[in-house]
């Protein structure tokens, strides 16, 4: 995972107002037309975002859980972690996730499909996210959907996603 992109996610998240609105940004692509587009929001110490580059669409979930030993990340990745996302009270979408250390905290990245992207874009009130490992849920967090449509439309336009 690009540390620079995570830094951009954290920077974007830290600039948000208390209303938990979504923001979008673009990184790179000045020389190869292959920029990374992202939309991100925060809820307390948690960050959730969707990003794309070319045909690769990912969800990123950053938690405040401290990672003091790189072996913790390896252990999480060995048990087959899942990232589960639910827009409003809709269907629960489940994706294989990979744990990463992000500035000393736990971050999860999952390759997702356009269905998730569109569900989050169309959400009326909330997006709920949870990490599931060995049947247990961790870090369940609810994010405000306000502003997700506009931010994700910018990402969709940049990545050629029809909505």
């Amino acid at each position: 995972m690009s540390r620079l992109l995570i830094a951009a996610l954290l920077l974007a998240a830290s600039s948000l107002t208390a209303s938990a609105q979504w923001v979008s940004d673009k990184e790179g692509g000045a020389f190869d037309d292959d920029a990374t587009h992202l939309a991100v929001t925060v809820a307390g110490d948690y960050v959730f975002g969707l990003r794309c580059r070319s045909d690769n669409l990912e969800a990123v979930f950053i938690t405040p859980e401290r990672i003091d030993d790189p072996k913790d990340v390896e252990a999480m990745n060995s048990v087959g972690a899942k990232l589960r996302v639910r827009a409003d009270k809709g269907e629960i979408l489940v994706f294989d996730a990979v744990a990463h250390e992000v500035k000393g905290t736990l971050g999860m990245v999952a390759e997702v499909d356009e269905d998730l992207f569109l569900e989050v874009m169309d959400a009326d009130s909330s997006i709920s996210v949870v990490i599931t490992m060995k049947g247990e849920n961790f870090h369940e967090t609810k994010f405000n959907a306000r502003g997700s449509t506009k931010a994700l439309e910018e990402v969709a336009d940049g990545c050629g996603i029809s909505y």
Side-chain angles (χ1 to χ4, degrees), residues 16 18 25 49 54 64 74 76-77 104 107 125 128 136 148 152 160:
L16 294 174
D25 198 6
S54 301
E74 292 173 23
M76 287 180 213
N77 287 331
S125 62
S128 298
E136 301 267 337
S148 65
L152 289 170

Side-chain angles (χ1 to χ4, degrees), residues 129-140:
V129 182
V130 69
I131 300 166
T132 302
M133 290 184 278
K134 292 185 168 186
E136 301 267 337
N137 291 331
F138 301 92
H139 296 287
E140 182 173 342

Side-chain angles (χ1 to χ4, degrees), residues 48 59 67 88 125 145 160:
F48 178 69
I67 299 294
D88 298 322
S125 62

